[in-house]
Coordinates of all heavy atoms in Angstrom, one line a residue:
E247 N 14.8 20.9 -6.6 CA 13.8 21.2 -7.5 C 13.1 19.9 -7.8 O 13.7 18.9 -8.1 CB 14.3 21.8 -8.8 CG 13.3 22.2 -9.8 CD 13.9 23.0 -11.0 OE1 14.5 24.0 -10.8 OE2 13.7 22.4 -12.1
A248 N 11.8 20.0 -7.7 CA 10.9 18.8 -8.0 C 9.6 19.3 -8.6 O 9.0 20.1 -8.1 CB 10.7 18.0 -6.7
D249 N 9.4 18.7 -9.8 CA 8.1 19.1 -10.5 C 7.9 20.6 -10.7 O 6.9 21.1 -10.5 CB 6.9 18.5 -9.8 CG 7.0 17.0 -9.8 OD1 7.4 16.4 -10.9 OD2 6.6 16.4 -8.8
G250 N 9.0 21.3 -10.9 CA 9.0 22.7 -11.2 C 8.9 23.6 -10.0 O 8.6 24.8 -10.1
V251 N 9.1 23.0 -8.8 CA 9.0 23.9 -7.6 C 10.3 23.7 -6.8 O 10.8 22.7 -6.6 CB 7.8 23.4 -6.7 CG1 7.8 24.1 -5.4 CG2 6.5 23.5 -7.4
V252 N 10.8 24.9 -6.5 CA 12.0 25.0 -5.6 C 11.6 25.2 -4.2 O 10.9 26.2 -4.0 CB 13.0 26.0 -6.1 CG1 14.2 26.2 -5.2 CG2 13.4 25.8 -7.6
V253 N 12.0 24.4 -3.3 CA 11.5 24.6 -1.9 C 12.7 25.0 -1.0 O 13.7 24.3 -0.9 CB 10.9 23.3 -1.3 CG1 10.4 23.6 0.1 CG2 9.7 22.9 -2.2
I254 N 12.6 26.2 -0.4 CA 13.6 26.7 0.5 C 12.8 26.9 1.8 O 11.7 27.4 1.7 CB 14.2 28.0 0.0 CG1 14.9 27.8 -1.4 CG2 15.2 28.6 1.0 CD1 15.2 29.1 -2.1
P255 N 13.3 26.5 3.0 CA 12.5 26.7 4.2 C 11.9 28.1 4.2 O 12.6 29.1 4.2 CB 13.6 26.5 5.3 CG 14.6 25.5 4.7 CD 14.6 26.0 3.3
G256 N 10.6 28.2 4.3 CA 9.9 29.4 4.4 C 9.6 30.1 3.1 O 8.9 31.1 3.1
V257 N 10.1 29.6 2.0 CA 9.9 30.2 0.7 C 9.5 29.1 -0.3 O 10.2 28.1 -0.4 CB 11.1 31.0 0.2 CG1 10.9 31.6 -1.2 CG2 11.6 32.0 1.1
I258 N 8.5 29.3 -1.1 CA 8.1 28.4 -2.1 C 8.0 29.2 -3.4 O 7.3 30.2 -3.5 CB 6.7 27.8 -1.8 CG1 6.8 26.9 -0.6 CG2 6.3 26.9 -3.0 CD1 5.5 26.4 -0.1
V259 N 8.8 28.8 -4.4 CA 8.9 29.6 -5.6 C 8.6 28.7 -6.8 O 9.5 27.9 -7.2 CB 10.4 30.2 -5.8 CG1 10.5 31.1 -7.0 CG2 10.7 31.0 -4.5
P260 N 7.5 28.7 -7.4 CA 7.2 27.9 -8.6 C 7.8 28.5 -9.8 O 8.3 29.7 -9.8 CB 5.6 28.1 -8.7 CG 5.2 28.7 -7.5 CD 6.3 29.4 -6.8
R261 N 7.9 27.7 -10.8 CA 8.5 28.2 -12.1 C 7.8 29.4 -12.6 O 8.4 30.3 -13.2 CB 8.6 27.1 -13.1 CG 9.7 26.2 -12.9 CD 10.0 25.3 -14.1 NE 11.1 24.4 -13.7 CZ 11.3 23.3 -14.2 NH1 10.5 22.8 -15.1 NH2 12.3 22.5 -13.9
D262 N 6.5 29.5 -12.5 CA 5.7 30.6 -13.0 C 5.9 31.7 -12.0 O 5.3 31.7 -10.8 CB 4.3 30.2 -13.1 CG 3.3 31.3 -13.5 OD1 3.9 32.4 -13.7 OD2 2.2 31.1 -13.7
P263 N 6.6 32.8 -12.3 CA 6.9 33.9 -11.3 C 5.6 34.6 -10.8 O 5.6 35.2 -9.7 CB 7.8 34.9 -12.0 CG 7.9 34.3 -13.4 CD 7.3 33.0 -13.5
S264 N 4.5 34.5 -11.5 CA 3.3 35.1 -11.0 C 2.7 34.3 -9.8 O 1.8 34.8 -9.2 CB 2.2 35.1 -12.2 OG 1.8 33.9 -12.5
R265 N 3.2 33.1 -9.5 CA 2.7 32.3 -8.5 C 3.6 32.3 -7.3 O 3.5 31.5 -6.4 CB 2.5 30.8 -8.9 CG 1.8 30.7 -10.2 CD 0.3 30.6 -10.1 NE -0.2 30.0 -9.0 CZ -1.4 30.3 -8.5 NH1 -2.1 31.2 -9.1 NH2 -1.9 29.7 -7.5
I266 N 4.6 33.3 -7.2 CA 5.5 33.3 -6.1 C 4.8 33.6 -4.8 O 4.0 34.5 -4.7 CB 6.7 34.3 -6.3 CG1 7.5 33.8 -7.5 CG2 7.5 34.5 -5.1 CD1 8.6 34.8 -7.9
R267 N 5.2 32.7 -3.8 CA 4.6 32.9 -2.4 C 5.8 32.9 -1.5 O 6.7 32.1 -1.6 CB 3.7 31.8 -2.0 CG 2.4 31.8 -2.6 CD 1.5 30.6 -2.2 NE 1.7 30.3 -0.8 CZ 1.2 29.2 -0.3 NH1 0.6 28.3 -1.0 NH2 1.3 29.0 1.0
V268 N 5.8 33.8 -0.5 CA 6.8 33.9 0.5 C 6.2 33.8 1.8 O 5.3 34.6 2.2 CB 7.7 35.2 0.4 CG1 8.7 35.3 1.5 CG2 8.3 35.4 -1.0
Q269 N 6.6 32.8 2.6 CA 6.1 32.7 4.0 C 7.0 33.4 5.0 O 8.1 33.0 5.1 CB 6.0 31.2 4.3 CG 5.6 30.9 5.7 CD 4.1 31.2 5.9 OE1 3.3 31.0 5.0 NE2 3.7 31.6 7.0
V270 N 6.5 34.4 5.6 CA 7.2 35.2 6.6 C 6.5 34.9 7.9 O 5.3 35.1 8.0 CB 7.2 36.7 6.3 CG1 8.0 37.4 7.4 CG2 7.8 36.9 4.9
G271 N 7.2 34.4 8.9 CA 6.6 34.2 10.2 C 6.8 32.7 10.5 O 7.8 32.1 10.3
P272 N 5.7 32.1 11.0 CA 5.7 30.7 11.5 C 6.1 29.7 10.4 O 5.9 29.9 9.2 CB 4.3 30.4 11.9 CG 3.6 31.8 12.0 CD 4.3 32.7 11.1
C273 N 6.6 28.6 10.8 CA 7.0 27.5 10.0 C 5.8 26.9 9.3 O 4.8 26.7 9.9 CB 7.7 26.5 10.8 SG 8.2 25.0 9.9
L274 N 5.9 26.6 8.0 CA 4.8 26.0 7.2 C 4.4 24.7 7.8 O 3.3 24.3 7.7 CB 5.2 25.9 5.8 CG 5.3 27.2 5.0 CD1 5.8 26.9 3.6 CD2 3.9 27.8 4.9
A275 N 5.3 24.0 8.4 CA 5.0 22.7 9.1 C 4.1 22.8 10.2 O 3.4 21.9 10.6 CB 6.3 22.0 9.5
D276 N 4.0 24.0 10.8 CA 3.1 24.3 12.0 C 1.8 24.7 11.3 O 1.4 25.8 11.4 CB 3.7 25.4 12.9 CG 2.8 25.6 14.1 OD1 1.9 24.8 14.3 OD2 3.0 26.7 14.7
F277 N 1.1 23.7 10.7 CA -0.1 24.0 9.9 C -1.2 24.6 10.7 O -1.9 25.5 10.2 CB -0.5 22.7 9.2 CG -1.6 23.0 8.2 CD1 -1.3 23.5 7.0 CD2 -3.0 22.7 8.5 CE1 -2.3 23.7 6.0 CE2 -4.0 23.0 7.6 CZ -3.7 23.5 6.4
N278 N -1.3 24.2 11.9 CA -2.4 24.7 12.8 C -2.0 25.9 13.6 O -2.8 26.4 14.5 CB -3.0 23.6 13.6 CG -2.0 23.0 14.6 OD1 -0.9 23.6 14.8 ND2 -2.3 21.8 15.2
S279 N -0.8 26.4 13.4 CA -0.3 27.6 14.1 C -0.4 27.6 15.6 O -0.6 28.5 16.3 CB -1.1 28.9 13.6 OG -1.0 29.0 12.3
S280 N 0.0 26.3 16.1 CA -0.1 26.2 17.6 C 1.2 26.6 18.2 O 1.3 26.7 19.4 CB -0.3 24.7 17.9 OG 0.9 23.9 17.5
G281 N 2.2 26.9 17.4 CA 3.5 27.2 17.9 C 4.5 26.1 18.0 O 5.7 26.3 18.3
D282 N 4.0 24.9 17.8 CA 4.8 23.7 17.9 C 4.5 22.8 16.6 O 3.3 22.8 16.2 CB 4.5 22.8 19.2 CG 4.9 23.5 20.4 OD1 6.1 23.9 20.5 OD2 4.0 23.6 21.3
V283 N 5.4 22.1 16.2 CA 5.2 21.2 15.0 C 5.0 19.8 15.7 O 5.9 19.2 16.3 CB 6.4 21.2 14.1 CG1 6.2 20.2 13.0 CG2 6.6 22.6 13.5
T284 N 3.8 19.3 15.5 CA 3.5 18.0 16.1 C 2.7 17.2 15.0 O 2.3 17.7 14.0 CB 2.6 18.1 17.3 OG1 1.3 18.7 16.9 CG2 3.2 19.0 18.4
V285 N 2.4 15.9 15.4 CA 1.7 15.1 14.5 C 0.3 15.7 14.2 O -0.4 15.4 13.2 CB 1.6 13.6 14.9 CG1 0.7 13.5 16.2 CG2 1.2 12.7 13.8
Q286 N -0.2 16.5 15.1 CA -1.5 17.1 14.9 C -1.5 18.0 13.7 O -2.5 18.1 13.0 CB -1.9 17.9 16.2 CG -3.4 18.4 16.1 CD -4.4 17.3 16.0 OE1 -4.3 16.3 16.8 NE2 -5.3 17.4 15.1
D287 N -0.4 18.6 13.4 CA -0.3 19.4 12.1 C -0.5 18.5 10.9 O -1.2 19.0 10.0 CB 1.1 20.1 12.0 CG 1.3 21.1 13.1 OD1 0.5 22.1 13.1 OD2 2.2 20.9 14.0
I288 N 0.0 17.3 10.9 CA -0.3 16.4 9.8 C -1.8 16.1 9.7 O -2.4 16.2 8.6 CB 0.5 15.1 9.9 CG1 2.0 15.4 9.8 CG2 0.0 14.1 8.8 CD1 2.8 14.1 10.0
F289 N -2.4 15.8 10.8 CA -3.9 15.5 10.8 C -4.7 16.7 10.3 O -5.6 16.6 9.6 CB -4.3 15.1 12.2 CG -3.7 13.8 12.7 CD1 -3.4 13.7 14.1 CD2 -3.4 12.8 11.9 CE1 -2.9 12.5 14.6 CE2 -2.8 11.6 12.3 CZ -2.5 11.5 13.7
D290 N -4.3 17.9 10.9 CA -5.0 19.1 10.5 C -4.8 19.5 9.0 O -5.8 19.9 8.3 CB -4.6 20.3 11.3 CG -5.1 20.1 12.8 OD1 -6.0 19.3 13.0 OD2 -4.6 20.8 13.6
F291 N -3.6 19.2 8.5 CA -3.3 19.4 7.1 C -4.2 18.5 6.2 O -4.9 18.9 5.3 CB -1.9 19.3 6.7 CG -1.7 19.3 5.2 CD1 -1.7 20.4 4.5 CD2 -1.6 18.1 4.6 CE1 -1.6 20.4 3.1 CE2 -1.5 18.0 3.2 CZ -1.5 19.2 2.4
L292 N -4.2 17.2 6.6 CA -5.0 16.2 5.8 C -6.5 16.5 5.9 O -7.2 16.4 4.9 CB -4.7 14.8 6.3 CG -3.3 14.3 6.0 CD1 -3.0 12.9 6.7 CD2 -3.1 14.2 4.5
A293 N -7.0 17.0 7.0 CA -8.4 17.4 7.1 C -8.7 18.5 6.1 O -9.7 18.5 5.4 CB -8.7 17.7 8.5
A294 N -7.8 19.5 6.0 CA -7.9 20.6 5.1 C -7.9 20.1 3.7 O -8.6 20.6 2.9 CB -6.9 21.7 5.4
Y295 N -6.9 19.2 3.4 CA -6.7 18.7 2.1 C -8.0 18.0 1.6 O -8.5 18.3 0.5 CB -5.5 17.8 2.1 CG -5.3 17.0 0.8 CD1 -4.8 17.5 -0.4 CD2 -5.8 15.6 0.7 CE1 -4.7 16.8 -1.5 CE2 -5.7 14.9 -0.4 CZ -5.2 15.5 -1.5 OH -5.1 14.8 -2.7
F296 N -8.5 17.1 2.4 CA -9.7 16.3 2.0 C -10.9 17.2 1.9 O -11.8 16.9 1.2 CB -9.9 15.1 2.9 CG -8.9 14.0 2.7 CD1 -8.0 13.6 3.6 CD2 -8.8 13.4 1.4 CE1 -7.1 12.6 3.4 CE2 -7.9 12.3 1.2 CZ -7.0 12.0 2.1
A297 N -11.0 18.3 2.6 CA -12.1 19.2 2.5 C -11.9 20.2 1.4 O -12.8 20.9 1.1 CB -12.2 20.0 3.8
G298 N -10.7 20.1 0.7 CA -10.5 21.1 -0.4 C -10.2 22.5 0.0 O -10.4 23.4 -0.7
D299 N -9.8 22.7 1.3 CA -9.6 24.0 1.9 C -8.4 24.6 1.2 O -7.3 24.0 1.0 CB -9.3 23.8 3.3 CG -9.1 25.1 4.1 OD1 -8.7 26.1 3.5 OD2 -9.5 25.1 5.3
P300 N -8.6 25.9 0.7 CA -7.4 26.5 0.0 C -6.2 26.7 0.8 O -5.1 26.8 0.3 CB -8.0 27.9 -0.3 CG -9.5 27.8 -0.4 CD -9.8 26.6 0.7
E301 N -6.3 26.6 2.2 CA -5.1 26.6 3.0 C -4.2 25.4 2.8 O -3.0 25.4 3.1 CB -5.5 26.7 4.5 CG -6.1 28.0 4.9 CD -5.2 29.1 4.8 OE1 -4.0 29.0 5.2 OE2 -5.6 30.2 4.2
A302 N -4.8 24.3 2.3 CA -4.0 23.1 2.0 C -3.2 23.3 0.6 O -2.5 22.3 0.3 CB -4.9 21.9 1.9
D303 N -3.3 24.4 -0.1 CA -2.6 24.6 -1.3 C -1.2 25.1 -0.9 O -0.9 26.2 -1.1 CB -3.3 25.6 -2.2 CG -2.6 25.9 -3.5 OD1 -1.8 25.1 -3.9 OD2 -2.9 26.9 -4.1
I304 N -0.4 24.2 -0.5 CA 0.9 24.5 0.1 C 1.8 25.0 -1.0 O 2.7 25.9 -0.7 CB 1.6 23.2 0.7 CG1 0.8 22.7 1.9 CG2 3.0 23.4 1.0 CD1 0.7 23.7 3.0
N305 N 1.7 24.6 -2.2 CA 2.7 25.0 -3.3 C 2.2 26.2 -4.1 O 2.8 26.7 -5.0 CB 3.0 23.9 -4.2 CG 1.8 23.3 -5.0 OD1 0.8 23.9 -5.0 ND2 2.0 22.2 -5.6
G306 N 1.0 26.7 -3.7 CA 0.5 28.0 -4.3 C 0.1 27.8 -5.8 O 0.1 28.8 -6.5
S307 N -0.3 26.6 -6.2 CA -0.6 26.3 -7.6 C -2.0 26.8 -7.9 O -2.4 26.9 -9.1 CB -0.5 24.8 -7.9 OG -1.6 24.2 -7.2
G308 N -2.8 27.2 -6.9 CA -4.2 27.6 -7.2 C -5.2 26.5 -7.0 O -6.4 26.8 -7.0
T309 N -4.7 25.3 -6.9 CA -5.6 24.2 -6.7 C -5.0 23.2 -5.6 O -3.8 23.3 -5.4 CB -5.8 23.3 -7.9 OG1 -4.6 22.9 -8.4 CG2 -6.6 24.1 -9.0
V310 N -5.8 22.5 -4.9 CA -5.3 21.5 -3.9 C -5.2 20.2 -4.6 O -6.2 19.7 -5.1 CB -6.3 21.5 -2.7 CG1 -5.9 20.4 -1.7 CG2 -6.5 22.9 -2.1
T311 N -4.0 19.7 -4.7 CA -3.7 18.4 -5.3 C -2.9 17.5 -4.4 O -2.3 18.0 -3.4 CB -3.0 18.6 -6.7 OG1 -1.7 19.1 -6.4 CG2 -3.7 19.6 -7.6
V312 N -2.7 16.3 -4.9 CA -1.8 15.4 -4.1 C -0.4 15.9 -4.0 O 0.3 15.6 -3.0 CB -1.9 14.0 -4.7 CG1 -1.1 13.9 -6.0 CG2 -1.3 13.0 -3.7
Q313 N 0.1 16.8 -4.9 CA 1.4 17.4 -4.8 C 1.5 18.2 -3.5 O 2.6 18.3 -2.9 CB 1.7 18.2 -6.0 CG 3.1 18.7 -6.1 CD 4.1 17.6 -6.2 OE1 4.0 16.6 -6.8 NE2 5.2 17.7 -5.4
D314 N 0.4 18.8 -3.1 CA 0.5 19.6 -1.8 C 0.7 18.7 -0.7 O 1.4 19.1 0.3 CB -0.9 20.4 -1.7 CG -1.1 21.4 -2.7 OD1 -0.2 22.4 -2.7 OD2 -2.1 21.3 -3.5
V315 N 0.2 17.5 -0.7 CA 0.4 16.5 0.4 C 2.0 16.2 0.4 O 2.6 16.2 1.5 CB -0.4 15.2 0.2 CG1 0.0 14.2 1.2 CG2 -1.9 15.5 0.2
F316 N 2.5 15.9 -0.8 CA 3.9 15.5 -0.8 C 4.8 16.7 -0.3 O 5.8 16.5 0.5 CB 4.4 15.1 -2.2 CG 3.7 13.9 -2.7 CD1 3.2 13.8 -4.0 CD2 3.5 12.8 -1.9 CE1 2.6 12.7 -4.5 CE2 2.8 11.6 -2.4 CZ 2.4 11.6 -3.7
E317 N 4.4 17.9 -0.7 CA 5.2 19.0 -0.3 C 5.1 19.4 1.2 O 6.0 19.7 1.9 CB 4.9 20.2 -1.2 CG 5.4 20.0 -2.6 CD 5.2 21.2 -3.5 OE1 5.3 22.3 -3.1 OE2 5.0 20.9 -4.7
F318 N 3.9 19.2 1.7 CA 3.7 19.5 3.1 C 4.5 18.5 3.9 O 5.2 18.9 4.9 CB 2.2 19.4 3.5 CG 2.0 19.5 5.0 CD1 2.2 20.8 5.6 CD2 1.8 18.4 5.8 CE1 2.1 20.9 7.0 CE2 1.7 18.5 7.2 CZ 1.9 19.8 7.8
L319 N 4.4 17.2 3.5 CA 5.2 16.2 4.3 C 6.7 16.4 4.2 O 7.4 16.2 5.2 CB 4.8 14.8 3.8 CG 3.4 14.3 4.1 CD1 3.1 13.0 3.5 CD2 3.2 14.3 5.7
G320 N 7.1 16.9 3.0 CA 8.5 17.2 2.9 C 8.9 18.4 3.9 O 10.0 18.3 4.5
I321 N 8.1 19.4 3.9 CA 8.3 20.5 4.8 C 8.3 20.0 6.3 O 9.1 20.4 7.1 CB 7.3 21.6 4.6 CG1 7.6 22.3 3.2 CG2 7.4 22.7 5.7 CD1 6.5 23.1 2.7
Y322 N 7.3 19.2 6.6 CA 7.1 18.7 8.0 C 8.3 17.9 8.4 O 8.8 18.2 9.5 CB 5.8 17.8 8.0 CG 5.6 17.3 9.4 CD1 4.9 18.0 10.4 CD2 6.1 16.0 9.7 CE1 4.7 17.5 11.6 CE2 5.9 15.5 11.0 CZ 5.2 16.2 11.9 OH 5.0 15.7 13.2
F323 N 8.8 17.0 7.6 CA 9.9 16.2 8.0 C 11.2 16.9 7.9 O 12.2 16.4 8.5 CB 9.9 14.8 7.2 CG 8.8 13.9 7.7 CD1 7.7 13.7 6.8 CD2 8.8 13.4 8.9 CE1 6.7 12.8 7.3 CE2 7.8 12.6 9.4 CZ 6.7 12.3 8.5
T324 N 11.3 18.0 7.2 CA 12.5 18.8 7.2 C 12.6 19.6 8.5 O 13.7 19.9 9.0 CB 12.5 19.8 5.9 OG1 12.5 19.0 4.8 CG2 13.7 20.7 5.9
G325 N 11.5 20.0 9.0 CA 11.5 20.7 10.3 C 11.6 22.2 10.0 O 11.8 22.7 8.9
C326 N 11.6 22.9 11.1 CA 11.7 24.4 11.1 C 13.0 24.8 11.6 O 13.7 24.2 12.3 CB 10.6 25.0 12.0 SG 8.9 24.6 11.5
I327 N 13.4 26.0 11.1 CA 14.7 26.6 11.5 C 14.6 27.3 12.8 O 13.6 28.0 13.0 CB 15.2 27.5 10.4 CG1 15.4 26.7 9.1 CG2 16.6 28.1 10.8 CD1 15.7 27.6 7.9

């Protein structure tokens, strides 16, 4: 648990139950859905983050913040199951 968010591979559960998101399918680290987790996923995530793209809202808070960067990188470096 960090900053009110519990991260389980494929599941992000904020403290506010109305914000629960469940990822079924591809690994969240595969941001560009290429089927592989590569450094390109980091570049694509950062491009979305800096553009304010809602897809970069990794933690489902409703806004794109620097916390999404930290959480994406945590997921990326944890890898996929």
Side-chain angles (χ1 to χ4, degrees):
E247 185 174 298
D249 297 321
V251 177
V252 177
V253 179
I254 302 167
V257 179
I258 298 174
V259 183
R261 281 194 180 152
D262 177 359
S264 69
R265 310 277 324 153
I266 292 176
R267 287 179 40 190
V268 177
Q269 176 72 33
V270 178
C273 174
L274 289 174
D276 183 13
F277 189 78
N278 61 15
S279 301
S280 69
D282 294 310
V283 177
T284 67
V285 72
Q286 188 63 48
D287 291 295
I288 293 175
F289 297 145
D290 292 344
F291 169 79
L292 289 174
Y295 169 79
F296 286 115
D299 186 330
E301 290 296 315
D303 181 17
I304 296 297
N305 63 13
S307 68
T309 58
V310 178
T311 67
V312 72
Q313 188 63 40
D314 293 298
V315 174
F316 297 138
E317 291 185 33
F318 176 76
L319 291 175
I321 292 166
Y322 178 87
F323 286 112
T324 299
C326 299
I327 302 173

